[in-house]
Amino acid sequence: MEIMTAKNAPLLDAIAGKTPSRTPVWFMRQAGRSLPEYRQVREGIPMLDSCFMPELLAEITLQPVRRHDVDAAILFSDIVVPLKAAGLDIDIVPGKGPVLADPIRTAADVANLPILDHEVTEVQEGIKIINEELTDQQTLIGFAGAPFTLASYLIEGGPSKNHEKTKAMMHGEPELWHALMQRLTPTIIHWLRGQINAGIEAMQLFDSWAGYLTEKDYREFVLPYSTEILESVKDIPRIHFGVGTGEILAAMGSAGSEVMGVDWRVPLDVAAERIRRENGAKVLQGNLDPAILFAGTKALTKEIQRIKDEANRAIAVGDATGHIFNLGHGVMPNTAPDAITEAVSIIHS
Ligand code: CP3
């Protein structure tokens, strides 16, 4: 007889290489503007304020779990919350993203970047409230932004199309770049350990913009720090994700996570082969194009089946050990909530 994990949760079973009772699914940005109940509770409350309100962050985290029957909750927070908690003057501008009053560009800026060294008790309290409502089959996933993606916001001062100032520091002042990475890494580790202390059961490292790098630059300027972070949380299952990372999947895989998130551009069986060649077989997560949630039932069913087939093929040939269904990137704000519920039901059937 197969030994079940203590909780028998489909997502944790898939990560452990067991056959889950159903295909586990959650969606990046499943909590947020696509849900009317989210827009209602967030009314008049700035994004970053909401991340420090335990009852509210718990409510928002739980909304998509109640509505869509997904197998995991993703903590409602943001990649810049630990920096805000450390005392950095950073805000999230609606329709834009994280914006920094004074971008980090000089040695003095880096030396003065605050490091998180206390527990963020509001978030820990929120995690406890979330866990009271989740069943044993539902998994709470915590997260952090990876140091490269965070550094891009800090150096550019906000969202960037080309990440040119970030790459300029990386190549023009490599010592400064490494100093910045070394200052961000302890904050990220402390932030994740705090979430683990409070009760998250798995984590995802979001290196959303790593796909803008060459593989060589990724290995030299980013990989050592993401490896250190993942190593520090190896007591829980780890997911590693970025967008447009087809060329660097093997390198990202070597940072040490059990699960590799794949965006929609690369078929899962192709991604699995790239990851396995350098790292051995891992669990795959992904990779429905978020735009397909606008395409109607027929197209949705067809794409979901294609992705499941590709994952099954990868598992059958030994290139992967499991599959967690997800999108290739986050839910778009104007997505119909019913399309998300429908996708979950198709994935589970
Ligand atoms: O449901 C979930 O996925 C959990 C919540 C979550 C948020 N941000 C909430 C949020 C997560 C996991 C993040 C991570 C995050 N934040 C990433 C990595 C994931 C990714 O999408 O690649 C990045 C790059 C950020 C930075 C950021 N924060 C952006 C680009 C934006 C969007 C700005 C906008 O208004 O279009 C934010 C704000 C943000 N974070 C919102 C939410 C729900 C929207 C704020 C609002 O509702 O007003």
Side-chain angles (χ1 to χ4, degrees), residues 240 242 245-253 259-287 306-307 310-311 313-315 317-323:
H240 195 182
T245 53
E247 296 298 326
I248 62 167
L249 277 171
M252 282 182 81
V259 185
M260 280 304 299
V262 182
D263 90 349
W264 68 90
R265 293 171 178 86
V266 188
L268 284 182
D269 49 348
V270 176
E273 208 261 331
R274 292 179 187 177
I275 295 161
R276 193 264 308 146
R277 259 187 302 174
E278 177 166 338
N279 303 293
K282 289 181 188 277
V283 180
L284 302 167
Q285 178 175 279
N287 69 347
R306 173 183 64 78
I307 289 162
E310 286 166 1
R313 212 175 302 142
I315 294 167
V317 301
D319 283 347
T321 58
H323 178 219

Side-chain angles (χ1 to χ4, degrees), residues 26-33 38-39 42 45-48 50-51 60-61 64 73-80 92-98 143-145 149 153 159 204 206-209 241-243 329-331 333:
W26 67 282
F27 288 159
M28 291 181 276
R29 263 185 256 152
Q30 62 191 18
R33 283 169 294 180
Y38 168 81
R39 296 194 296 267
R42 267 285 318 283
I45 304 173
M47 170 68 193
L48 277 180
S50 69
C51 296
I60 296 173
T61 300
I74 173 84
L75 179 70
F76 182 77
S77 188
D78 194 84
I79 57 171
V80 300
I92 292 181
V93 177
K96 201 168 171 202
F143 74 91
T149 291
Y153 285 107
Q204 176 156 315
F206 280 94
D207 211 349
S208 300
W209 313 137
F241 169 78
V243 185
H329 198 185
V331 172

Side-chain angles (χ1 to χ4, degrees), residues 20-175:
S21 56
R22 64 185 191 183
T23 301
V25 54
W26 67 282
F27 288 159
M28 291 181 276
R29 263 185 256 152
Q30 62 191 18
R33 283 169 294 180
S34 65
L35 300 184
E37 59 268 36
Y38 168 81
R39 296 194 296 267
Q40 200 203 326
V41 297
R42 267 285 318 283
E43 181 93 58
I45 304 173
M47 170 68 193
L48 277 180
D49 289 359
S50 69
C51 296
F52 291 90
M53 298 165 70
E55 296 282 349
L56 184 59
L57 77 88
E59 167 64 22
I60 296 173
T61 300
L62 290 163
Q63 284 175 346
V65 181
R66 297 183 196 128
R67 184 192 264 264
H68 302 308
D69 189 28
V70 282
D71 297 282
I74 173 84
L75 179 70
F76 182 77
S77 188
D78 194 84
I79 57 171
V80 300
V81 167
L83 295 170
K84 181 83 180 176
L88 189 70
D89 185 6
I90 193 161
D91 200 7
I92 292 181
V93 177
K96 201 168 171 202
V99 173
L100 202 61
D102 301 305
I104 308 293
R105 307 250 169 96
T106 67
D109 294 339
V110 171
N112 289 326
L113 182 69
I115 293 178
L116 182 69
D117 60 3
H118 63 272
E119 301 285 288
V120 188
T121 50
E122 299 93 334
V123 174
Q124 293 182 311
E125 240 176 89
I127 288 172
K128 292 189 177 126
I129 299 169
I130 296 163
N131 274 332
E132 280 166 23
E133 182 167 324
L134 291 181
T135 68
D136 283 356
Q137 282 71 47
Q138 295 164 334
T139 303
L140 176 59
I141 303 174
F143 74 91
F148 170 74
T149 291
L150 280 177
S152 169
Y153 285 107
L154 296 182
I155 298 166
E156 307 288 341
S160 169
K161 238 175 118 177
N162 300 313
H163 307 272
E164 65 271 31
K165 295 186 182 75
T166 309
K167 292 180 180 184
M169 185 192 287
M170 199 180 257
H171 287 273
E173 297 173 278
E175 282 172 20

